Amino acid sequence: MTPTGADQGQFIAGGTNLVDLMHLGVATPARLLDLDAAEDAADDPAQARRGITRPRPDMLRLGALTRMADAAADPLLRRHLPMLAQTLELAASPQIRNMASLGGNILQRTRCMYFRDTSWPCNKRAPGSGCAAIDGCSRQAAILGTSRHCIASYPGDFAQGLVAMDAVLDILGADGRRRPLPIADLHLLPGDRPDVETTLAPGEMITAIEVPAPAWAARSVFVKLRDRASFAFALVSVACALDLDATGHVREARLALGGVAAVPWRLPASEALLKGEVLTEDAANAAAVDAFTGAALRPDNAFKRDLGIAAITRALLAARDLPPAITPPATSDEAQP
């Protein structure tokens, strides 16, 4: 998950990402601290690191050690924040979902081929060595939030839903102190230090995730477009939640993108364009087009802009057409809104 000290050791939970990187020689921690073996604070349910609870009618609390598969099947999550359940259902393979933790999923590292192959220069892996992706194969690379030092995309799905709903992480430090951290403040843009990926300090770990769950968030969907129907990372993904009034006007829209940006990418400008509008296909498309203002396109990944516009439009219309209190099915690549 996060380092216990510079190049000294790392926390490990499910291990599905870290062990993979260790096999590749990308991660070489001197020691591992197994969080999965840690006992929950049974005398204090508010600090439990596993399971999903509803401490308030408008809030869900997700323990960071909860398995992805368990969270995806949880009735509270499916009922109140269906798009979050969908982000987990459409991720990886059943075997990985049975092992991977929610906290680890948030902190997974890029799938950029140049980061994962130590024979290539990579500023994220070896600061100052260069970015091979810039002049190389960039099909999977980001088009938003990049820098001249790194164009790698953030690979996860779950974090997009969390960012869209303004989730807050419960962080435990090495000194035993806890602090809240909005997930929007967790991941760092690459800038000139792409090797520094989060704002977590050495020894800090995520213990829980608190997600606002207003009643209207039942009208939410996750759309994921990828090269194949399973066990593939997103080319573009969209987490979408809508609050509509009785006349179909947008009271609130929440949108976040995956697969196209260096970090989980919230779309506040697109959300603002929709507020107060009747959600027609033209309005949805206009908000989608606005989402890619300033995109840095390369010949290999320019298609992501048009694909992203279509995905956002599809997600908005799919969410619009849902009854607000009904949990929608997962929207896979083959499903139609």
Side-chain angles (χ1 to χ4, degrees):
M1 293 177 70
T2 190
T4 57
D7 299 321
Q8 295 177 9
Q10 284 191 289
F11 296 130
I12 186 169
T16 56
N17 186 219
L18 178 56
V19 171
D20 186 23
L21 295 177
M22 290 171 66
H23 285 159
L24 295 170
V26 174
T28 56
R31 58 196 173 113
L32 297 175
L33 178 60
D34 185 5
L35 297 178
D36 198 48
E39 292 293 329
D40 277 340
D43 58 337
D44 187 356
Q47 295 186 16
R49 298 177 191 175
R50 294 179 177 86
I52 297 176
T53 57
R54 194 181 180 200
R56 302 200 315 260
D58 62 346
M59 178 75 68
L60 293 183
R61 184 185 184 280
L62 289 58
L65 289 180
T66 306
R67 303 295 192 196
M68 289 173 63
D70 293 338
D74 187 271
L76 283 174
L77 196 65
R78 296 182 70 82
R79 183 181 311 119
H80 298 289
L81 287 167
M83 85 177 160
L84 279 188
Q86 292 166 22
T87 67
L88 298 168
E89 287 177 326
L90 295 176
S93 66
Q95 294 89 341
I96 288 176
R97 292 195 298 270
N98 284 335
M99 282 297 298
S101 69
L102 298 184
N105 181 273
I106 294 169
L107 294 171
Q108 66 183 296
R109 305 187 71 186
T110 184
R111 304 295 296 190
C112 176
M113 67 178 74
Y114 300 106
F115 169 75
R116 293 168 59 83
D117 185 341
T118 57
S119 67
W120 290 96
C122 171
N123 288 321
K124 187 178 285 290
R125 190 184 65 246
S129 63
C131 176
I134 288 177
D135 294 319
C137 179
S138 58
R139 184 172 185 271
Q140 293 286 346
I143 61 175
L144 296 168
T146 60
S147 77
R148 64 189 179 90
H149 298 284
C150 181
I151 61 171
S153 60
Y154 175 80
D157 298 324
F158 180 54
Q160 274 71 263
L162 298 178
V163 166
M165 295 308 299
D166 293 321
V168 176
L169 307 175
D170 181 30
I171 306 298
L172 178 65
D175 58 2
R177 296 181 183 179
R178 312 183 84 91
R179 67 179 177 104
L181 177 67
I183 191 168
D185 297 335
L186 173 66
H187 295 96
L188 293 171
L189 291 170
D192 60 0
R193 286 297 307 271
D195 57 306
V196 182
E197 298 179 341
T198 75
T199 57
L200 293 179
E204 285 191 323
M205 63 179 175
I206 302 169
T207 62
I209 308 145
E210 291 191 343
V211 193
W216 55 261
R219 181 181 264 133
S220 63
V221 297
F222 179 70
V223 170
K224 181 175 182 176
L225 304 180
R226 47 191 170 170
D227 285 325
R228 57 181 186 272
S230 65
F231 201 15
F233 291 86
L235 294 170
V236 179
S237 64
V238 185
C240 173
L242 285 177
D243 182 12
L244 302 179
D245 67 18
T247 64
H249 289 77
V250 177
R251 282 192 292 239
E252 182 128 24
R254 301 294 183 89
L255 290 166
L257 287 175
V260 296
V263 298
W265 196 259
R266 181 80 177 268
L267 299 175
S270 297
E271 294 170 357
L273 281 177
L274 291 166
K275 198 163 186 176
E277 299 293 323
V278 174
L279 188 52
T280 62
E281 184 171 353
D282 286 344
N285 186 73
V289 170
D290 184 78
F292 293 93
T293 300
L297 306 178
R298 288 174 168 74
D300 288 349
N301 65 12
F303 73 94
K304 284 190 173 187
R305 178 174 59 185
D306 290 341
L307 190 65
I309 291 169
I312 294 170
T313 303
R314 172 176 161 182
L316 283 166
L317 298 180
R320 178 198 67 183
D321 293 341
L322 288 170
I326 301 298
T327 299
T331 306
S332 69
D333 306 83
E334 295 75 32
Q336 297 298 314

